[in-house]
Amino acid sequence: MGRYYYQRYLKLKKAMQQIPFREHFVNDGDGDDEDEESRAGAAALVFVCAPPSYHNKRSSSTTSRTKLLSLLLLSLLSCTFILAPHAFSLFSFADSFGAEDEGLVAADVNAPLCSSISNGTICCDRSGIRTDVCIMKGDVRTNSASSSIFLYKDTNGFINYVSSMVEEEELQHEKIRPYTRKWETSVMDTIDELDLVAKKENATANHHCDVVHDVPAVFFSTGGYTGNVYHEFNDGILPLYITSQHLKKKVVFVILEYHNWWIMKYGNILSRLSDYPAIDFSRDKRTHCFPEAIVGLRIHDELTVNPSLMRGNKTVIDFRNVLDQAYWPRIRGLIQDEEREAREKLREKLTLSPSSDPSFKIVKEVQGYQSKKPKLVILSRNGSRAITNENLLVKMAEDIGFQVQVVRPDRTSELAKIYRALNSSDVMVGVHGAAMTHFLFMKPGSVFIQVIPLGTDWAAETYYGEPARKLGLKYIGYTILPRESSLYDQYDKNDPVLRDPSSVNEKGWQYTKTIYLDGQNVRLNLRRFQKRLVRAYDYSINRISQNCHHQSQ
């Protein structure tokens, strides 16, 4: 910023040199004192901030020296009044980057870098490995045709008068790709890049706003790995919550690489984070004007929220509460539809069977019995990493005492239905993969059993095991033996693929993906797996009993 003002000074100096003027303005005794003083005042206004070398030093009279000193003093005072606001702006700008003097205390220790900046400035936090985030504050205007967001700064005073005679000056220029996988060059190259430009507003320019918003905007991309539920939540939905929740829904989401299906899928969640419809940045050619813009999303870790980095110490449980608020209106509708359907079926049955009272009693008893049994949800996979003896697993779980529901999520599945199934479950079982992201739908205190195929130990723990514990779930990892993998029939028993998966993973991601993710199914050793299910059952029964005891008090 200091360099900016020095450059402005040089431009003013050059402009002033080109203005015709008399060689000296001091009184030489030949002219009228009042006229000379008027010209001296005008000179002070024209030469504000100019160095002393601009003034004639050849006069030897005392009066001339006195007038010269007066002129220099007036120039100094003028310079001080003009530059003072900018000097304060400089200090404020430095403070926004976290600079602290001795004795100063930050207003919010949890506030991220660039969370508080001066009007008319752009602050970019590029310190993170996962993402860049830029903040623009002031007169923010979109220009989708040039993939740009402009910030116009109005400078008052004489500097504004001079700059209005030339073209708009670019004060700052930043580039950003608003997606949360900054370290992964291959995918970041596919994300649209935005130009963030701060300009000195020309007084003669005619900038217009097609749509004026009185709340901030958050710009982000739904490109990249969107289409995979893990990435949709980890790279998009959770970072969106982290970035915008403190705005309390008074925010507009502006989306790059906008997908209608994504809006349909996550519209319920978006409505809990914003009171306004989302904007398709590329297709909406109107100029949208905002008082502030956050470009890019903040991200903490895999599928979690770090309370130490959040205003109000929000946690991943607070995020889950947002999911509750988002899906329960739809879930209540589903429950009402099912109850109405069940009553109609029962009515038909009673009509066909005259001795229907016992039947109705039996139905009610069965419903009551089922409601007391712990519910186990199996997230079933098709294709790779499927449980090939899933039907036997279902039977064994029912024999243990579980009420079992098999859920097969895909890209077209309505999230509210999946949420309802898992929100009401006591235990979830599934093989490592993107669908395990749905553990976020479970109530804290529930049990999550992740079946871990060969070669996926680190990923299973990092992406799902550790985050599940942070949500408050009881996590059980079931690492399969080589005999439980379909790879056992494809490779020699001494092959590193079976004996030393870590050495295969060290060869690179493509080996891991081809062999362990795309080429492997699971046939559970049911006797071995049964121990985990029994533990989960006993834990769930005790938890249900405790809940019933608390409710009865």
Side-chain angles (χ1 to χ4, degrees):
M1 291 296 288
R3 183 174 61 182
Y4 159 67
Y5 284 109
Y6 179 68
Q7 290 172 343
R8 293 302 299 266
Y9 157 71
L10 292 179
K11 287 186 177 182
L12 283 171
K13 178 179 177 181
K14 184 176 180 181
M16 293 305 105
Q17 286 174 325
Q18 296 173 354
I19 297 176
F21 62 98
R22 289 176 57 184
E23 185 174 344
H24 55 84
F25 289 88
V26 294
N27 186 5
D28 58 6
D30 294 331
D32 189 302
D33 285 352
E34 290 185 6
D35 291 341
E36 296 300 336
E37 287 178 1
S38 298
R39 285 194 292 272
L45 289 176
V46 172
F47 288 103
V48 289
C49 305
S53 59
Y54 274 93
H55 302 286
N56 191 297
K57 299 179 182 178
R58 291 179 295 178
S59 175
S60 59
S61 68
T62 303
T63 305
S64 298
R65 285 197 298 270
T66 302
K67 291 221 174 250
L68 178 58
L69 290 173
S70 300
L71 178 60
L72 291 177
L73 180 60
L74 182 58
S75 298
L76 180 60
L77 289 172
S78 301
C79 182
T80 302
F81 284 121
I82 290 174
L83 290 186
H86 304 290
F88 288 118
S89 176
L90 272 173
F91 294 133
S92 177
F93 184 78
D95 288 341
S96 73
F97 277 85
E100 295 183 32
D101 281 331
E102 189 176 349
L104 294 181
V105 180
D108 186 350
V109 294
N110 290 346
L113 188 65
C114 294
S115 61
S116 177
I117 66 173
S118 302
N119 236 27
T121 56
I122 302 176
C123 176
C124 289
D125 179 0
R126 301 188 187 276
S127 62
I129 298 174
R130 295 171 178 264
T131 187
D132 290 335
V133 178
C134 293
I135 312 293
M136 308 173 74
K137 190 172 183 181
D139 184 1
V140 179
R141 309 187 185 200
T142 63
N143 189 301
S144 61
S146 62
S147 295
S148 301
I149 309 172
F150 292 107
L151 174 64
Y152 288 100
K153 182 172 182 179
D154 181 20
T155 306
N156 296 319
F158 180 72
I159 293 179
N160 189 42
Y161 169 75
V162 173
S163 62
S164 68
M165 297 186 295
V166 296
E167 293 183 0
E168 288 179 345
E169 181 180 357
E170 187 175 292
L171 306 179
Q172 188 178 354
H173 193 152
E174 304 284 350
K175 291 181 178 292
I176 184 172
R177 298 180 189 271
Y179 190 62
T180 56
R181 299 190 77 81
K182 173 182 170 181
W183 78 94
E184 200 166 345
T185 306
S186 59
V187 71
M188 291 301 290
D189 286 343
T190 69
I191 303 299
D192 292 344
E193 187 175 58
L194 287 174
D195 287 286
L196 314 183
V197 184
K199 283 190 172 187
K200 167 68 196 61
E201 186 169 23
N202 189 324
T204 63
N206 181 24
H207 299 297
H208 72 282
C209 295
D210 296 314
V211 185
V212 178
H213 304 269
D214 59 0
V215 297
V218 172
F219 291 75
F220 65 98
S221 174
T222 54
Y225 292 127
T226 296
N228 175 295
V229 69
Y230 163 79
H231 289 288
E232 287 168 8
F233 271 92
N234 186 71
D235 303 342
I237 298 297
L238 261 163
L240 189 60
Y241 168 78
I242 290 169
T243 305
S244 67
Q245 63 83 29
H246 70 283
L247 297 171
K248 303 185 185 303
K249 301 177 68 176
K250 302 306 177 185
V251 58
V252 175
F253 297 140
V254 185
I255 304 176
L256 283 71
E257 299 179 70
Y258 183 104
H259 302 287
N260 287 322
W261 66 263
W262 188 90
I263 294 293
M264 291 289 293
K265 185 173 184 178
Y266 294 108
N268 291 332
I269 300 177
L270 295 184
S271 69
R272 302 308 307 175
L273 298 178
S274 171
D275 285 333
Y276 305 88
I279 295 172
D280 182 345
F281 180 78
S282 299
R283 292 189 180 90
D284 192 335
K285 302 301 182 184
R286 295 175 297 175
T287 298
H288 290 265
C289 298
F290 300 94
E292 185 175 349
I294 303 172
V295 187
L297 301 179
R298 299 190 183 278
I299 182 172
H300 294 163
D301 209 338
E302 307 299 333
L303 293 176
T304 196
V305 176
N306 185 342
S308 68
L309 300 176
M310 294 290 288
R311 296 179 185 180
N313 300 106
K314 299 290 187 181
T315 70
V316 69
I317 295 178
D318 292 299
F319 169 73
R320 194 194 170 282
N321 291 339
V322 170
L323 298 183
D324 253 345
Q325 296 164 10
Y327 290 123
W328 264 107
R330 170 61 176 151
I331 290 172
R332 277 193 288 269
L334 292 172
I335 292 173
Q336 290 171 0
D337 291 343
E338 290 174 2
E339 288 177 347
R340 184 167 51 253
E341 200 173 302
R343 284 195 297 270
E344 290 176 357
K345 287 183 178 179
L346 184 59
R347 193 177 296 111
E348 291 176 4
K349 188 172 182 180
L350 294 177
T351 303
L352 295 173
S353 174
S355 56
S356 54
D357 286 342
S359 299
F360 182 75
K361 185 177 180 181
I362 291 172
V363 169
K364 298 299 288 182
E365 288 176 353
V366 169
Q367 288 176 344
Y369 173 69
Q370 290 282 3
S371 65
K372 294 178 183 178
K373 298 174 71 173
K375 179 181 176 182
L376 181 144
V377 172
I378 298 174
L379 287 185
S380 181
R381 290 182 62 93
N382 295 319
S384 65
R385 283 166 286 153
I387 298 176
T388 57
N389 56 345
E390 186 179 277
N391 57 333
L392 297 178
L393 171 63
V394 171
K395 185 177 185 306
M396 182 180 72
E398 289 175 340
D399 290 343
I400 290 172
F402 283 108
Q403 172 192 351
V404 181
Q405 180 180 359
V406 178
V407 176
R408 295 182 173 84
D410 57 36
R411 286 189 61 175
T412 62
S413 299
E414 185 181 355
L415 284 184
K417 293 181 178 180
I418 301 175
Y419 192 89
R420 181 191 176 193
L422 291 173
N423 184 66
S424 61
S425 72
D426 299 286
V427 182
M428 181 181 88
V429 174
V431 181
H432 169 71
M436 296 299 96
T437 304
H438 294 112
F439 78 78
L440 291 168
F441 295 179
M442 301 182 73
K443 291 179 180 177
S446 304
V447 182
F448 170 27
I449 303 176
Q450 181 178 203
V451 177
I452 306 172
L454 296 181
T456 65
D457 300 67
W458 178 86
E461 170 63 20
T462 301
Y463 297 138
Y464 305 112
E466 185 177 348
R469 295 188 193 95
K470 291 178 180 177
L471 183 61
L473 303 183
K474 182 176 178 59
Y475 173 72
I476 300 174
Y478 178 81
T479 304
I480 70 170
L481 300 174
R483 286 180 177 272
E484 294 176 271
S485 171
S486 61
L487 299 175
Y488 191 78
D489 298 325
Q490 301 175 33
Y491 291 87
D492 183 83
K493 308 308 176 278
N494 294 318
D495 194 292
V497 168
L498 300 177
R499 294 188 58 197
D500 189 14
S502 60
S503 66
V504 178
N505 288 334
E506 288 173 358
K507 294 181 179 181
W509 165 249
Q510 196 56 45
Y511 282 89
T512 299
K513 183 177 186 300
T514 302
I515 297 172
Y516 295 120
L517 299 182
D518 296 342
Q520 179 177 200
N521 286 323
V522 174
R523 183 174 182 82
L524 291 173
N525 180 330
L526 294 179
R527 182 174 296 179
R528 180 169 176 253
F529 192 75
Q530 184 182 36
K531 297 176 183 178
R532 272 72 171 183
L533 282 188
V534 170
R535 275 171 53 195
Y537 179 83
D538 291 341
Y539 172 85
S540 299
I541 285 292
N542 289 335
R543 186 163 166 265
I544 291 171
S545 299
Q546 290 175 3
N547 290 339
C548 290
H549 176 70
H550 289 315
Q551 291 174 3
S552 63
Q553 288 181 333

PDB file of all heavy atoms in Angstrom, residues 86-108:
ATOM      1  N   HIS A  86      -5.907   8.199   4.388  1.00  0.00           N
ATOM      2  CA  HIS A  86      -5.314   7.022   3.754  1.00  0.00           C
ATOM      3  C   HIS A  86      -4.295   6.361   4.667  1.00  0.00           C
ATOM      4  O   HIS A  86      -4.102   5.159   4.650  1.00  0.00           O
ATOM      5  CB  HIS A  86      -4.671   7.413   2.425  1.00  0.00           C
ATOM      6  CG  HIS A  86      -5.641   8.083   1.506  1.00  0.00           C
ATOM      7  ND1 HIS A  86      -6.668   7.408   0.918  1.00  0.00           N
ATOM      8  CD2 HIS A  86      -5.768   9.383   1.117  1.00  0.00           C
ATOM      9  CE1 HIS A  86      -7.395   8.239   0.169  1.00  0.00           C
ATOM     10  NE2 HIS A  86      -6.854   9.446   0.288  1.00  0.00           N
ATOM     11  N   ALA A  87      -3.634   7.187   5.480  1.00  0.00           N
ATOM     12  CA  ALA A  87      -2.691   6.618   6.432  1.00  0.00           C
ATOM     13  C   ALA A  87      -3.430   5.734   7.427  1.00  0.00           C
ATOM     14  O   ALA A  87      -3.011   4.628   7.748  1.00  0.00           O
ATOM     15  CB  ALA A  87      -1.941   7.737   7.159  1.00  0.00           C
ATOM     16  N   PHE A  88      -4.587   6.249   7.926  1.00  0.00           N
ATOM     17  CA  PHE A  88      -5.370   5.436   8.848  1.00  0.00           C
ATOM     18  C   PHE A  88      -5.877   4.181   8.168  1.00  0.00           C
ATOM     19  O   PHE A  88      -5.968   3.123   8.766  1.00  0.00           O
ATOM     20  CB  PHE A  88      -6.540   6.240   9.418  1.00  0.00           C
ATOM     21  CG  PHE A  88      -6.106   7.290  10.405  1.00  0.00           C
ATOM     22  CD1 PHE A  88      -6.333   8.635  10.162  1.00  0.00           C
ATOM     23  CD2 PHE A  88      -5.454   6.917  11.578  1.00  0.00           C
ATOM     24  CE1 PHE A  88      -5.922   9.584  11.068  1.00  0.00           C
ATOM     25  CE2 PHE A  88      -5.053   7.871  12.493  1.00  0.00           C
ATOM     26  CZ  PHE A  88      -5.277   9.223  12.234  1.00  0.00           C
ATOM     27  N   SER A  89      -6.242   4.311   6.898  1.00  0.00           N
ATOM     28  CA  SER A  89      -6.690   3.145   6.143  1.00  0.00           C
ATOM     29  C   SER A  89      -5.581   2.114   6.055  1.00  0.00           C
ATOM     30  O   SER A  89      -5.809   0.917   6.141  1.00  0.00           O
ATOM     31  CB  SER A  89      -7.129   3.570   4.736  1.00  0.00           C
ATOM     32  OG  SER A  89      -7.484   2.455   3.974  1.00  0.00           O
ATOM     33  N   LEU A  90      -4.349   2.595   5.893  1.00  0.00           N
ATOM     34  CA  LEU A  90      -3.209   1.683   5.833  1.00  0.00           C
ATOM     35  C   LEU A  90      -3.079   0.890   7.121  1.00  0.00           C
ATOM     36  O   LEU A  90      -2.893  -0.315   7.115  1.00  0.00           O
ATOM     37  CB  LEU A  90      -1.918   2.491   5.605  1.00  0.00           C
ATOM     38  CG  LEU A  90      -1.516   2.775   4.163  1.00  0.00           C
ATOM     39  CD1 LEU A  90      -0.326   3.713   4.145  1.00  0.00           C
ATOM     40  CD2 LEU A  90      -1.190   1.485   3.459  1.00  0.00           C
ATOM     41  N   PHE A  91      -3.182   1.606   8.280  1.00  0.00           N
ATOM     42  CA  PHE A  91      -3.049   0.912   9.550  1.00  0.00           C
ATOM     43  C   PHE A  91      -4.166  -0.096   9.733  1.00  0.00           C
ATOM     44  O   PHE A  91      -3.955  -1.197  10.216  1.00  0.00           O
ATOM     45  CB  PHE A  91      -3.071   1.915  10.702  1.00  0.00           C
ATOM     46  CG  PHE A  91      -1.882   2.839  10.712  1.00  0.00           C
ATOM     47  CD1 PHE A  91      -2.039   4.208  10.880  1.00  0.00           C
ATOM     48  CD2 PHE A  91      -0.597   2.333  10.544  1.00  0.00           C
ATOM     49  CE1 PHE A  91      -0.944   5.048  10.881  1.00  0.00           C
ATOM     50  CE2 PHE A  91       0.502   3.174  10.544  1.00  0.00           C
ATOM     51  CZ  PHE A  91       0.336   4.548  10.704  1.00  0.00           C
ATOM     52  N   SER A  92      -5.363   0.292   9.344  1.00  0.00           N
ATOM     53  CA  SER A  92      -6.499  -0.627   9.444  1.00  0.00           C
ATOM     54  C   SER A  92      -6.289  -1.841   8.571  1.00  0.00           C
ATOM     55  O   SER A  92      -6.595  -2.966   8.949  1.00  0.00           O
ATOM     56  CB  SER A  92      -7.788   0.102   9.045  1.00  0.00           C
ATOM     57  OG  SER A  92      -8.869  -0.775   9.068  1.00  0.00           O
ATOM     58  N   PHE A  93      -5.748  -1.620   7.384  1.00  0.00           N
ATOM     59  CA  PHE A  93      -5.510  -2.736   6.461  1.00  0.00           C
ATOM     60  C   PHE A  93      -4.485  -3.693   7.053  1.00  0.00           C
ATOM     61  O   PHE A  93      -4.630  -4.905   6.983  1.00  0.00           O
ATOM     62  CB  PHE A  93      -5.004  -2.176   5.130  1.00  0.00           C
ATOM     63  CG  PHE A  93      -4.826  -3.219   4.075  1.00  0.00           C
ATOM     64  CD1 PHE A  93      -5.921  -3.718   3.398  1.00  0.00           C
ATOM     65  CD2 PHE A  93      -3.575  -3.716   3.760  1.00  0.00           C
ATOM     66  CE1 PHE A  93      -5.779  -4.682   2.419  1.00  0.00           C
ATOM     67  CE2 PHE A  93      -3.426  -4.676   2.783  1.00  0.00           C
ATOM     68  CZ  PHE A  93      -4.526  -5.148   2.109  1.00  0.00           C
ATOM     69  N   ALA A  94      -3.423  -3.125   7.672  1.00  0.00           N
ATOM     70  CA  ALA A  94      -2.414  -3.976   8.291  1.00  0.00           C
ATOM     71  C   ALA A  94      -3.020  -4.789   9.418  1.00  0.00           C
ATOM     72  O   ALA A  94      -2.738  -5.973   9.577  1.00  0.00           O
ATOM     73  CB  ALA A  94      -1.264  -3.126   8.823  1.00  0.00           C
ATOM     74  N   ASP A  95      -3.912  -4.152  10.220  1.00  0.00           N
ATOM     75  CA  ASP A  95      -4.552  -4.872  11.312  1.00  0.00           C
ATOM     76  C   ASP A  95      -5.380  -6.029  10.792  1.00  0.00           C
ATOM     77  O   ASP A  95      -5.495  -7.063  11.433  1.00  0.00           O
ATOM     78  CB  ASP A  95      -5.460  -3.931  12.123  1.00  0.00           C
ATOM     79  CG  ASP A  95      -4.637  -2.951  12.962  1.00  0.00           C
ATOM     80  OD1 ASP A  95      -3.444  -3.250  13.177  1.00  0.00           O
ATOM     81  OD2 ASP A  95      -5.182  -1.911  13.370  1.00  0.00           O
ATOM     82  N   SER A  96      -6.005  -5.869   9.622  1.00  0.00           N
ATOM     83  CA  SER A  96      -6.865  -6.918   9.091  1.00  0.00           C
ATOM     84  C   SER A  96      -6.085  -8.173   8.764  1.00  0.00           C
ATOM     85  O   SER A  96      -6.646  -9.248   8.667  1.00  0.00           O
ATOM     86  CB  SER A  96      -7.581  -6.420   7.832  1.00  0.00           C
ATOM     87  OG  SER A  96      -6.680  -6.338   6.753  1.00  0.00           O
ATOM     88  N   PHE A  97      -4.773  -8.049   8.609  1.00  0.00           N
ATOM     89  CA  PHE A  97      -3.955  -9.222   8.341  1.00  0.00           C
ATOM     90  C   PHE A  97      -3.430  -9.850   9.620  1.00  0.00           C
ATOM     91  O   PHE A  97      -2.590 -10.732   9.588  1.00  0.00           O
ATOM     92  CB  PHE A  97      -2.774  -8.851   7.430  1.00  0.00           C
ATOM     93  CG  PHE A  97      -3.148  -8.835   5.991  1.00  0.00           C
ATOM     94  CD1 PHE A  97      -3.714  -7.698   5.420  1.00  0.00           C
ATOM     95  CD2 PHE A  97      -2.969  -9.951   5.203  1.00  0.00           C
ATOM     96  CE1 PHE A  97      -4.070  -7.690   4.095  1.00  0.00           C
ATOM     97  CE2 PHE A  97      -3.321  -9.928   3.867  1.00  0.00           C
ATOM     98  CZ  PHE A  97      -3.870  -8.801   3.317  1.00  0.00           C
ATOM     99  N   GLY A  98      -3.917  -9.379  10.769  1.00  0.00           N
ATOM    100  CA  GLY A  98      -3.545 -10.010  12.023  1.00  0.00           C
ATOM    101  C   GLY A  98      -2.345  -9.375  12.677  1.00  0.00           C
ATOM    102  O   GLY A  98      -1.813  -9.898  13.655  1.00  0.00           O
ATOM    103  N   ALA A  99      -1.837  -8.212  12.154  1.00  0.00           N
ATOM    104  CA  ALA A  99      -0.701  -7.556  12.768  1.00  0.00           C
ATOM    105  C   ALA A  99      -1.127  -6.977  14.104  1.00  0.00           C
ATOM    106  O   ALA A  99      -2.138  -6.310  14.212  1.00  0.00           O
ATOM    107  CB  ALA A  99      -0.185  -6.442  11.867  1.00  0.00           C
ATOM    108  N   GLU A 100      -0.356  -7.240  15.156  1.00  0.00           N
ATOM    109  CA  GLU A 100      -0.710  -6.762  16.486  1.00  0.00           C
ATOM    110  C   GLU A 100       0.462  -6.037  17.109  1.00  0.00           C
ATOM    111  O   GLU A 100       1.595  -6.501  17.061  1.00  0.00           O
ATOM    112  CB  GLU A 100      -1.109  -7.932  17.400  1.00  0.00           C
ATOM    113  CG  GLU A 100      -2.370  -8.632  16.961  1.00  0.00           C
ATOM    114  CD  GLU A 100      -2.754  -9.726  17.934  1.00  0.00           C
ATOM    115  OE1 GLU A 100      -2.482  -9.578  19.138  1.00  0.00           O
ATOM    116  OE2 GLU A 100      -3.296 -10.730  17.500  1.00  0.00           O
ATOM    117  N   ASP A 101       0.192  -4.869  17.692  1.00  0.00           N
ATOM    118  CA  ASP A 101       1.191  -4.174  18.475  1.00  0.00           C
ATOM    119  C   ASP A 101       1.080  -4.632  19.919  1.00  0.00           C
ATOM    120  O   ASP A 101       0.103  -5.239  20.330  1.00  0.00           O
ATOM    121  CB  ASP A 101       0.961  -2.659  18.413  1.00  0.00           C
ATOM    122  CG  ASP A 101       1.481  -2.073  17.113  1.00  0.00           C
ATOM    123  OD1 ASP A 101       2.437  -2.660  16.580  1.00  0.00           O
ATOM    124  OD2 ASP A 101       0.920  -1.068  16.652  1.00  0.00           O
ATOM    125  N   GLU A 102       2.116  -4.332  20.675  1.00  0.00           N
ATOM    126  CA  GLU A 102       2.106  -4.701  22.081  1.00  0.00           C
ATOM    127  C   GLU A 102       0.927  -4.027  22.768  1.00  0.00           C
ATOM    128  O   GLU A 102       0.696  -2.842  22.634  1.00  0.00           O
ATOM    129  CB  GLU A 102       3.416  -4.250  22.723  1.00  0.00           C
ATOM    130  CG  GLU A 102       3.585  -4.772  24.137  1.00  0.00           C
ATOM    131  CD  GLU A 102       4.934  -4.389  24.704  1.00  0.00           C
ATOM    132  OE1 GLU A 102       5.765  -3.926  23.921  1.00  0.00           O
ATOM    133  OE2 GLU A 102       5.118  -4.535  25.907  1.00  0.00           O
ATOM    134  N   GLY A 103       0.152  -4.817  23.512  1.00  0.00           N
ATOM    135  CA  GLY A 103      -0.980  -4.258  24.232  1.00  0.00           C
ATOM    136  C   GLY A 103      -2.293  -4.378  23.494  1.00  0.00           C
ATOM    137  O   GLY A 103      -3.339  -4.169  24.063  1.00  0.00           O
ATOM    138  N   LEU A 104      -2.276  -4.724  22.184  1.00  0.00           N
ATOM    139  CA  LEU A 104      -3.516  -4.886  21.434  1.00  0.00           C
ATOM    140  C   LEU A 104      -4.019  -6.303  21.590  1.00  0.00           C
ATOM    141  O   LEU A 104      -3.261  -7.256  21.545  1.00  0.00           O
ATOM    142  CB  LEU A 104      -3.285  -4.577  19.952  1.00  0.00           C
ATOM    143  CG  LEU A 104      -2.929  -3.127  19.627  1.00  0.00           C
ATOM    144  CD1 LEU A 104      -2.751  -2.988  18.119  1.00  0.00           C
ATOM    145  CD2 LEU A 104      -4.008  -2.177  20.107  1.00  0.00           C
ATOM    146  N   VAL A 105      -5.331  -6.456  21.710  1.00  0.00           N
ATOM    147  CA  VAL A 105      -5.934  -7.775  21.872  1.00  0.00           C
ATOM    148  C   VAL A 105      -6.915  -8.009  20.745  1.00  0.00           C
ATOM    149  O   VAL A 105      -7.729  -7.140  20.435  1.00  0.00           O
ATOM    150  CB  VAL A 105      -6.676  -7.885  23.228  1.00  0.00           C
ATOM    151  CG1 VAL A 105      -7.294  -9.260  23.382  1.00  0.00           C
ATOM    152  CG2 VAL A 105      -5.714  -7.589  24.381  1.00  0.00           C
ATOM    153  N   ALA A 106      -6.847  -9.169  20.111  1.00  0.00           N
ATOM    154  CA  ALA A 106      -7.753  -9.478  19.005  1.00  0.00           C
ATOM    155  C   ALA A 106      -9.182  -9.551  19.527  1.00  0.00           C
ATOM    156  O   ALA A 106      -9.443 -10.045  20.621  1.00  0.00           O
ATOM    157  CB  ALA A 106      -7.358 -10.801  18.356  1.00  0.00           C
ATOM    158  N   ALA A 107     -10.118  -9.056  18.694  1.00  0.00           N
ATOM    159  CA  ALA A 107     -11.526  -9.021  19.120  1.00  0.00           C
ATOM    160  C   ALA A 107     -12.109 -10.419  19.215  1.00  0.00           C
ATOM    161  O   ALA A 107     -12.928 -10.693  20.059  1.00  0.00           O
ATOM    162  CB  ALA A 107     -12.326  -8.175  18.143  1.00  0.00           C
ATOM    163  N   ASP A 108     -11.701 -11.321  18.329  1.00  0.00           N
ATOM    164  CA  ASP A 108     -12.241 -12.679  18.313  1.00  0.00           C
ATOM    165  C   ASP A 108     -11.113 -13.634  17.965  1.00  0.00           C
ATOM    166  O   ASP A 108     -10.638 -13.666  16.837  1.00  0.00           O
ATOM    167  CB  ASP A 108     -13.367 -12.786  17.277  1.00  0.00           C
ATOM    168  CG  ASP A 108     -14.062 -14.145  17.328  1.00  0.00           C
ATOM    169  OD1 ASP A 108     -13.545 -15.045  18.026  1.00  0.00           O
ATOM    170  OD2 ASP A 108     -15.104 -14.299  16.677  1.00  0.00           O
TER     171      ASP A 108
END
